[in-house]
Amino acid sequence: MTTTPSPRIRVLIVDDHAMVRRGLTTFLKVFDDLELAGEAESGQAAIELCARLQPDVVLMDMVMPDMDGAAATRLIRKQSESIRVIVLTSFKEEILVQSALQAGAIGYLLKDVSAEDLAQAIRAAHAGRATLSPDVAEVVVHAAGQPPKPGLDLTEREREVLALMIEGLNNTLIAGKLNVSPSTIKTHVSNILSKLGVASRTEAVTLALRNRIIP
Protein backbone atom coordinates (compact mmCIF):
# COMPACT_ATOMS: atom_id res chain seq x y z
CA MET A 1 0.00 0.00 0.00
CA THR A 2 1.47 3.35 -1.04
CA THR A 3 1.19 6.42 1.15
CA THR A 4 0.49 9.85 -0.22
CA PRO A 5 3.35 12.23 0.60
CA SER A 6 2.45 15.20 2.78
CA PRO A 7 2.09 18.44 0.84
CA ARG A 8 5.08 20.73 1.05
CA ILE A 9 5.04 23.78 3.29
CA ARG A 10 4.84 26.80 0.99
CA VAL A 11 7.07 29.65 2.15
CA LEU A 12 7.00 33.31 1.09
CA ILE A 13 10.27 35.23 1.55
CA VAL A 14 10.07 38.94 2.38
CA ASP A 15 13.31 40.95 2.43
CA ASP A 16 14.44 44.14 0.72
CA HIS A 17 17.91 42.68 0.02
CA ALA A 18 18.13 40.49 -3.10
CA MET A 19 21.13 38.55 -1.74
CA VAL A 20 19.18 37.53 1.37
CA ARG A 21 16.22 36.39 -0.74
CA ARG A 22 18.55 34.41 -2.99
CA GLY A 23 20.18 32.71 -0.01
CA LEU A 24 16.85 31.77 1.52
CA THR A 25 15.60 30.44 -1.81
CA THR A 26 18.66 28.18 -2.00
CA PHE A 27 18.08 27.10 1.61
CA LEU A 28 14.50 26.00 0.86
CA LYS A 29 15.68 23.71 -1.94
CA VAL A 30 17.68 21.63 0.55
CA PHE A 31 14.55 20.40 2.36
CA ASP A 32 12.08 18.11 0.62
CA ASP A 33 9.12 19.26 2.72
CA LEU A 34 9.62 23.00 2.02
CA GLU A 35 9.07 24.96 -1.17
CA LEU A 36 9.23 28.56 -2.31
CA ALA A 37 5.79 30.15 -2.76
CA GLY A 38 7.18 33.54 -3.80
CA GLU A 39 9.42 36.49 -2.98
CA ALA A 40 8.63 40.06 -1.98
CA GLU A 41 11.07 42.97 -1.58
CA SER A 42 8.72 45.14 0.51
CA GLY A 43 5.96 44.92 3.09
CA GLN A 44 3.31 46.13 0.66
CA ALA A 45 4.35 43.58 -1.96
CA ALA A 46 4.19 40.87 0.73
CA ILE A 47 0.61 41.78 1.61
CA GLU A 48 -0.45 41.63 -2.04
CA LEU A 49 1.37 38.32 -2.66
CA CYS A 50 -0.11 36.73 0.46
CA ALA A 51 -3.60 37.63 -0.72
CA ARG A 52 -2.91 36.03 -4.08
CA LEU A 53 -0.69 33.05 -3.21
CA GLN A 54 -1.89 32.14 0.29
CA PRO A 55 1.47 30.74 1.49
CA ASP A 56 1.63 28.60 4.62
CA VAL A 57 4.51 30.49 6.25
CA VAL A 58 6.06 33.92 5.66
CA LEU A 59 9.71 34.68 6.49
CA MET A 60 9.48 38.40 7.25
CA ASP A 61 12.31 40.92 7.45
CA MET A 62 11.71 43.46 10.22
CA VAL A 63 13.35 46.65 8.92
CA MET A 64 12.36 47.67 5.38
CA PRO A 65 12.08 51.09 3.73
CA ASP A 66 8.38 51.43 2.94
CA MET A 67 6.67 49.43 5.68
CA ASP A 68 8.19 47.64 8.65
CA GLY A 69 7.75 43.93 9.24
CA ALA A 70 5.37 44.42 12.16
CA ALA A 71 2.94 46.52 10.09
CA ALA A 72 3.08 44.04 7.21
CA THR A 73 2.57 41.13 9.62
CA ARG A 74 -0.46 42.77 11.20
CA LEU A 75 -2.13 43.32 7.80
CA ILE A 76 -1.27 39.84 6.52
CA ARG A 77 -2.72 38.23 9.65
CA LYS A 78 -5.78 40.45 9.39
CA GLN A 79 -6.56 39.26 5.88
CA SER A 80 -5.72 35.59 6.53
CA GLU A 81 -5.24 34.10 10.02
CA SER A 82 -4.11 30.78 8.52
CA ILE A 83 -0.85 32.34 7.29
CA ARG A 84 1.92 32.05 9.90
CA VAL A 85 4.62 34.72 10.05
CA ILE A 86 8.17 34.21 11.28
CA VAL A 87 10.27 37.33 11.65
CA LEU A 88 13.81 36.75 10.35
CA THR A 89 15.97 39.75 11.11
CA SER A 90 19.33 41.01 12.36
CA PHE A 91 17.73 43.11 15.10
CA LYS A 92 16.74 41.98 18.59
CA GLU A 93 15.78 45.30 20.21
CA GLU A 94 12.96 44.87 22.71
CA ILE A 95 10.62 47.32 20.97
CA LEU A 96 10.99 45.44 17.66
CA VAL A 97 10.42 42.04 19.27
CA GLN A 98 7.36 43.25 21.13
CA SER A 99 5.85 44.98 18.09
CA ALA A 100 6.34 41.86 15.94
CA LEU A 101 4.76 39.51 18.47
CA GLN A 102 1.91 41.93 19.14
CA ALA A 103 1.31 42.09 15.38
CA GLY A 104 0.79 38.33 15.30
CA ALA A 105 4.19 36.85 14.40
CA ILE A 106 4.51 33.27 15.67
CA GLY A 107 8.30 33.27 15.60
CA TYR A 108 11.22 35.69 15.87
CA LEU A 109 14.62 34.48 14.67
CA LEU A 110 17.93 36.19 14.07
CA LYS A 111 19.62 35.83 10.67
CA ASP A 112 22.52 33.87 12.14
CA VAL A 113 20.14 30.93 12.73
CA SER A 114 21.30 27.60 11.29
CA ALA A 115 19.55 26.14 8.27
CA GLU A 116 18.28 23.15 10.27
CA ASP A 117 16.92 25.38 13.06
CA LEU A 118 15.21 27.62 10.53
CA ALA A 119 13.62 24.61 8.83
CA GLN A 120 12.40 23.34 12.20
CA ALA A 121 10.97 26.78 13.01
CA ILE A 122 9.06 26.80 9.70
CA ARG A 123 7.63 23.35 10.45
CA ALA A 124 6.72 24.44 13.99
CA ALA A 125 5.03 27.62 12.72
CA HIS A 126 3.04 25.59 10.19
CA ALA A 127 1.86 23.41 13.08
CA GLY A 128 0.95 26.48 15.15
CA ARG A 129 3.90 26.40 17.53
CA ALA A 130 6.05 29.43 18.36
CA THR A 131 9.84 29.60 18.01
CA LEU A 132 12.13 32.29 19.38
CA SER A 133 15.91 32.62 19.08
CA PRO A 134 17.55 32.20 22.51
CA ASP A 135 18.63 35.87 22.54
CA VAL A 136 15.10 36.95 21.64
CA ALA A 137 13.61 34.72 24.35
CA GLU A 138 15.80 36.58 26.88
CA VAL A 139 14.42 39.88 25.59
CA VAL A 140 10.84 38.61 26.01
CA VAL A 141 11.53 37.39 29.55
CA HIS A 142 13.11 40.75 30.43
CA ALA A 143 10.15 42.63 28.94
CA ALA A 144 7.72 40.49 30.96
CA GLY A 145 9.22 41.92 34.12
CA GLN A 146 8.71 45.48 32.94
CA PRO A 147 5.53 47.54 33.20
CA PRO A 148 3.47 47.43 29.99
CA LYS A 149 4.34 50.01 27.38
CA PRO A 150 1.94 52.97 27.63
CA GLY A 151 -0.56 53.38 24.83
CA LEU A 152 -1.13 49.71 24.01
CA ASP A 153 -4.82 50.04 24.91
CA LEU A 154 -5.46 53.06 22.66
CA THR A 155 -8.04 52.50 19.93
CA GLU A 156 -7.19 53.15 16.27
CA ARG A 157 -9.18 56.41 16.37
CA GLU A 158 -7.47 57.51 19.58
CA ARG A 159 -4.10 56.90 17.91
CA GLU A 160 -5.20 59.09 14.99
CA VAL A 161 -6.22 61.86 17.41
CA LEU A 162 -2.95 61.53 19.36
CA ALA A 163 -0.93 61.76 16.13
CA LEU A 164 -2.69 65.04 15.29
CA MET A 165 -2.13 66.28 18.84
CA ILE A 166 1.57 65.64 18.34
CA GLU A 167 1.37 67.80 15.20
CA GLY A 168 0.09 70.61 17.41
CA LEU A 169 -3.53 70.71 16.22
CA ASN A 170 -6.29 71.79 18.61
CA ASN A 171 -9.63 69.99 19.00
CA THR A 172 -11.40 72.07 16.36
CA LEU A 173 -8.71 71.44 13.74
CA ILE A 174 -8.56 67.74 14.59
CA ALA A 175 -12.34 67.52 14.28
CA GLY A 176 -12.16 69.12 10.84
CA LYS A 177 -9.48 66.70 9.67
CA LEU A 178 -11.38 63.63 10.90
CA ASN A 179 -14.84 64.93 9.90
CA VAL A 180 -16.33 64.61 13.37
CA SER A 181 -17.59 67.12 15.93
CA PRO A 182 -15.24 68.93 18.36
CA SER A 183 -17.17 67.39 21.27
CA THR A 184 -16.30 63.91 19.92
CA ILE A 185 -12.62 64.89 19.78
CA LYS A 186 -12.86 66.25 23.32
CA THR A 187 -14.07 62.82 24.46
CA HIS A 188 -11.25 61.08 22.59
CA VAL A 189 -8.66 63.42 24.14
CA SER A 190 -10.09 62.76 27.60
CA ASN A 191 -9.85 58.99 27.02
CA ILE A 192 -6.27 59.36 25.73
CA LEU A 193 -5.19 61.30 28.83
CA SER A 194 -6.86 58.73 31.09
CA LYS A 195 -5.27 55.72 29.34
CA LEU A 196 -1.83 57.32 29.33
CA GLY A 197 -2.18 58.36 32.97
CA VAL A 198 -1.40 62.03 32.32
CA ALA A 199 -3.17 65.27 33.17
CA SER A 200 -2.59 67.46 30.10
CA ARG A 201 -2.20 67.43 26.34
CA THR A 202 1.43 68.48 26.71
CA GLU A 203 2.16 65.51 28.99
CA ALA A 204 0.36 63.18 26.57
CA VAL A 205 2.43 64.41 23.62
CA THR A 206 5.68 64.19 25.61
CA LEU A 207 4.90 60.64 26.75
CA ALA A 208 3.89 59.60 23.23
CA LEU A 209 7.12 60.92 21.73
CA ARG A 210 9.31 59.44 24.45
CA ASN A 211 7.75 55.97 24.13
CA ARG A 212 7.23 56.12 20.35
CA ILE A 213 3.53 55.30 20.78
CA ILE A 214 2.82 56.70 17.30
CA PRO A 215 5.25 55.23 14.69
Side-chain angles (χ1 to χ4, degrees):
M1 177 178 164
T2 58
T3 57
T4 305
S6 300
R8 290 179 171 184
I9 300 171
R10 300 171 61 251
V11 181
L12 178 73
I13 297 168
V14 185
D15 199 292
D16 59 325
H17 292 101
M19 287 296 291
V20 173
R21 296 198 305 275
R22 191 170 304 137
L24 289 172
T25 300
T26 302
F27 144 78
L28 289 174
K29 293 176 181 175
V30 174
F31 298 92
D32 292 338
D33 59 334
L34 308 179
E35 71 175 28
L36 178 68
E39 297 179 36
E41 62 181 14
S42 69
Q44 186 59 47
I47 294 164
E48 294 166 4
L49 278 178
C50 280
R52 191 166 83 243
L53 302 175
Q54 290 295 305
D56 299 308
V57 176
V58 176
L59 295 180
M60 177 73 72
D61 191 16
M62 197 61 187
V63 180
M64 294 179 286
D66 69 325
M67 178 188 295
D68 66 28
T73 297
R74 184 175 292 105
L75 291 170
I76 288 168
R77 294 281 297 160
K78 188 174 181 180
Q79 70 185 13
S80 180
E81 291 187 357
S82 65
I83 298 175
R84 308 292 188 178
V85 179
I86 297 173
V87 167
L88 185 61
T89 182
S90 303
F91 303 94
K92 60 180 179 180
E93 283 77 9
E94 184 177 308
I95 191 167
L96 293 178
V97 174
Q98 287 186 322
S99 62
L101 298 180
Q102 287 162 6
I106 196 170
Y108 197 111
L109 302 175
L110 301 180
K111 285 182 177 175
D112 61 0
V113 65
S114 70
E116 187 57 51
D117 285 346
L118 180 54
Q120 290 286 23
I122 292 171
R123 296 178 189 120
H126 188 232
R129 300 191 305 273
T131 304
L132 301 175
S133 286
D135 287 352
V136 174
E138 283 185 25
V139 170
V140 172
V141 170
H142 175 263
Q146 304 299 313
K149 180 184 171 184
L152 292 178
D153 54 348
L154 294 177
T155 65
E156 202 62 44
R157 177 60 92 182
E158 287 165 356
R159 287 178 179 278
E160 289 178 322
V161 172
L162 180 56
L164 294 171
M165 288 166 60
I166 291 171
E167 291 180 21
L169 276 62
N170 61 29
N171 287 2
T172 303
L173 292 174
I174 294 174
K177 269 193 171 289
L178 299 181
N179 295 314
V180 296
S181 69
S183 62
T184 298
I185 297 302
K186 185 177 179 181
T187 299
H188 285 316
V189 172
S190 176
N191 289 339
I192 290 168
L193 299 186
S194 175
K195 289 180 178 181
L196 295 183
V198 296
S200 70
R201 296 170 74 99
T202 302
E203 285 182 59
V205 168
T206 301
L207 186 69
L209 292 173
R210 187 190 312 133
N211 290 278
R212 292 193 280 180
I213 293 174
I214 305 300

